[in-house]
Amino acid sequence: MRNSLTLLSTALLLNLFSTAYAASAIDLSVKGLITPSACSPILSGGGVIDHGKLSAGDLNQGNPTYLPKHTVQMNVSCEAQTLFGLKAIDNRTASGSSSSFGLGFVNGDKKLGWFYLYFNNPVMDGATARSIVSYDNGNTWRPEDMFEPGPLFAISTPADTSLPIAGRELAVELEIATGIYDAAGMDLSQEVPLDGSATIEVKYL
């Protein structure tokens, strides 16, 4: 078996060398686009959601505990009409999931909880709009209210959700839904912080 692997490796190596000699040059292209306008996102309340102190005795054993929902106002202001999108990054990704943001850990490696983000009542330049998402970097779009970490989100008209629209002023209510996993097995003998953190980036399309 070892001889066979050695021969195979040698054959592959020879093939790589022959391919390298066959192409003596290759091109590298560096592309991009500098936009003349910039957009700035702002969150009301400094973007801080504070649930205060929670009693360990009030947490459910065997079932999740859902905390009161909060809403912050998010505004994106651009210097001129600009085609832009938004991307959310989970800064606690190890304790999150593909669709939710993490709240850190308890007991060292047990996930403490999660929070979801939702777009509500988006308004672009004074007109009712719709939030849309792209999972293929802007090639295709579909309606979506849940602001997941990772995908690219943008704003469209309610009538045509297949393409994003340019705008100068976006106002949207950002709803935060937070939960704690079932407390069974959690060591809550000391204070445990809810340690959620997300970054919202403006992406120029």
Side-chain angles (χ1 to χ4, degrees), residues 5-198:
L5 290 174
T6 302
L7 289 173
L8 178 60
S9 300
T10 304
L12 289 173
L13 186 61
L14 290 173
N15 185 57
L16 288 173
F17 277 126
S18 63
T19 303
Y21 282 114
S24 58
I26 192 170
D27 292 331
L28 171 68
S29 297
V30 179
K31 296 182 178 181
L33 189 65
I34 298 176
T35 179
S37 63
C39 299
S40 301
I42 299 175
L43 291 172
S44 64
V48 177
I49 303 299
D50 189 355
H51 287 281
K53 286 195 173 183
L54 309 172
S55 171
D58 291 335
L59 300 180
N60 295 325
Q61 301 286 323
N63 291 295
T65 300
Y66 299 96
L67 304 185
K69 294 180 179 180
H70 286 70
T71 298
V72 297
Q73 183 72 24
M74 182 172 69
N75 293 82
V76 180
S77 299
C78 303
E79 297 172 342
Q81 289 284 318
T82 306
L83 190 62
F84 67 88
L86 298 168
K87 183 177 182 180
I89 300 170
D90 186 3
N91 298 323
R92 304 292 183 264
T93 182
S95 62
S97 69
S98 60
S99 60
S100 68
F101 300 80
L103 288 180
F105 295 95
V106 63
N107 297 13
D109 59 357
K110 183 178 177 63
K111 293 181 180 181
L112 179 61
W114 74 90
F115 67 94
Y116 290 98
L117 299 180
Y118 297 91
F119 284 120
N120 290 334
N121 305 316
V123 175
M124 181 74 90
D125 294 340
T128 300
R130 186 73 171 87
S131 55
I132 56 177
V133 65
S134 175
Y135 291 96
D136 54 12
N137 201 33
N139 291 317
T140 58
W141 298 86
R142 65 174 177 82
E144 182 58 70
D145 296 326
M146 182 184 288
F147 192 17
E148 300 173 294
L152 186 62
F153 287 77
I155 299 298
S156 73
T157 65
D160 183 3
T161 57
S162 64
L163 289 173
I165 58 173
R168 187 165 185 171
E169 294 285 341
L170 169 65
V172 61
E173 297 170 3
L174 196 62
E175 182 181 281
I176 300 93
T178 307
I180 307 296
Y181 290 116
D182 63 273
M186 288 187 181
D187 181 3
L188 301 174
S189 58
Q190 298 182 6
E191 290 187 346
V192 178
L194 305 186
D195 187 31
S197 175

